Amino acid sequence: MTPPAGSGADPRVTGLTARVAGTAGVARVTPVRLADDGRTVALTAYPRTAPSDPTTAALVRTLRAADVPGVAVHVGGATATRVDLADRVGARMPWVIAVVVGLSTVLLYAAFRAPVVAVKAAVMNLVSIGAAYGVLTAVFAWGWGVGLTGLSGPVPVESYLPMMLFALLFGLSMDYEVFLLTAVQESWRVTGDNRVAVREGLAGTGRVITSAALIMVTVFAGFVLQGDPVIKMFGLGMAVAVAVDATVVRGLLVPATMALLGRANWWRPGRRSRVGERLAGPSS
């Protein structure tokens, strides 16, 4: 008697089962289940590694690439869904960064009419975000001090979290940047001296920026007390980014680069800008 198509006795199905069971990294395979249409079978493969292990993600891709004559192979499940989400987010992340940084640069140029200041401000915002990514990886993925967060061991960083953090943190960093640059530009217009403008702008906004950052760091650090690992990641990442942004970036890197760039900070393309620079007087 010829076995019905798609049944467990079909040589195509037995070949698929043998292929999956023989794949490196597969611990065991359940018996096939025949769908009502008689053309589709399903089986469950259990990996030897944890769902969050990169080896498991590689196993999903290996199984999807399996070539079994007469069979169309599809791999689903929670692990495969996370792999697909991570791949899609990873492919789109560079575009998100490029669009956000590009639009921010355009808006900053529209606000300050200084291309060097606009580009520098947009790039500087990436420093604090990079610091947050590094801390999240070290704590949650590598397990450095993960016990201090209330977790018993390392946990994977969700694939969507870096993109969401980037959008939130870039906006927060931009607030500090605009606040500081506005004060510096106002002083520059009065004094015409770049170093004096940077010094006065930093002195005039330092207390407010530090106070606001301290409030936000305290609030975000409170998220770490929650039981959900994802909430802990959000809280720690945002607290670290705000702390680094208000101290290292706004207190050191931004003033230092503006002091070194001098008159170039306020360069504007076109004849009108050159006339305006001559009228502004000398600067250091």
Side-chain angles (χ1 to χ4, degrees), residues 160-245:
Y160 60 83
L161 192 138
M163 183 178 291
M164 295 184 66
L165 275 180
F166 176 81
L168 293 172
L169 293 175
F170 202 91
L172 291 175
S173 299
M174 191 60 67
D175 287 342
Y176 289 149
E177 186 75 31
V178 171
F179 188 50
L180 174 60
L181 290 179
T182 300
V184 174
Q185 188 181 58
E186 290 176 352
S187 178
W188 157 258
R189 288 172 175 171
V190 172
T191 65
D193 189 307
N194 181 73
R195 290 184 180 271
V196 172
V198 172
R199 184 168 61 250
E200 291 183 352
L202 184 62
T205 61
R207 181 175 299 180
V208 176
I209 290 178
T210 302
S211 299
L214 182 60
I215 294 173
M216 284 193 288
V217 168
T218 302
V219 172
F220 293 145
F223 292 176
V224 180
L225 302 177
Q226 297 293 320
D228 190 340
V230 176
I231 301 298
K232 293 178 183 290
M233 294 176 191
F234 267 110
L236 182 61
M238 296 183 74
V240 169
V242 171
V244 171
D245 188 77

Side-chain angles (χ1 to χ4, degrees), residues 249-263:
V249 177
R250 309 302 160 210
L252 177 62
L253 296 181
V254 170
T257 54
M258 294 192 73
L260 291 174
L261 289 172
R263 183 183 293 273

Side-chain angles (χ1 to χ4, degrees), residues 10-117:
D10 192 313
R12 293 172 296 178
V13 176
T14 57
L16 173 63
T17 304
R19 176 66 179 271
V20 173
T23 302
V26 174
R28 65 185 182 90
V29 177
T30 62
V32 297
R33 300 185 302 277
L34 180 63
D36 294 337
D37 60 5
R39 297 175 56 83
T40 305
V41 296
L43 57 87
T44 303
Y46 292 90
R48 298 183 182 274
T49 51
S52 59
D53 194 306
T55 305
T56 307
L59 176 60
V60 171
R61 297 185 179 94
T62 299
L63 293 176
R64 283 176 171 169
D67 184 15
V68 180
V71 177
V73 180
H74 302 278
V75 180
T79 302
T81 300
R82 284 195 292 270
V83 171
D84 293 339
L85 178 60
D87 290 343
R88 293 179 68 116
V89 171
R92 288 162 174 74
M93 187 70 175
W95 291 102
V96 172
I97 295 175
V99 170
V100 171
V101 173
L103 288 177
S104 299
T105 303
V106 172
L107 293 175
L108 286 169
Y109 175 72
F112 297 101
R113 300 296 181 180
V116 174
V117 167

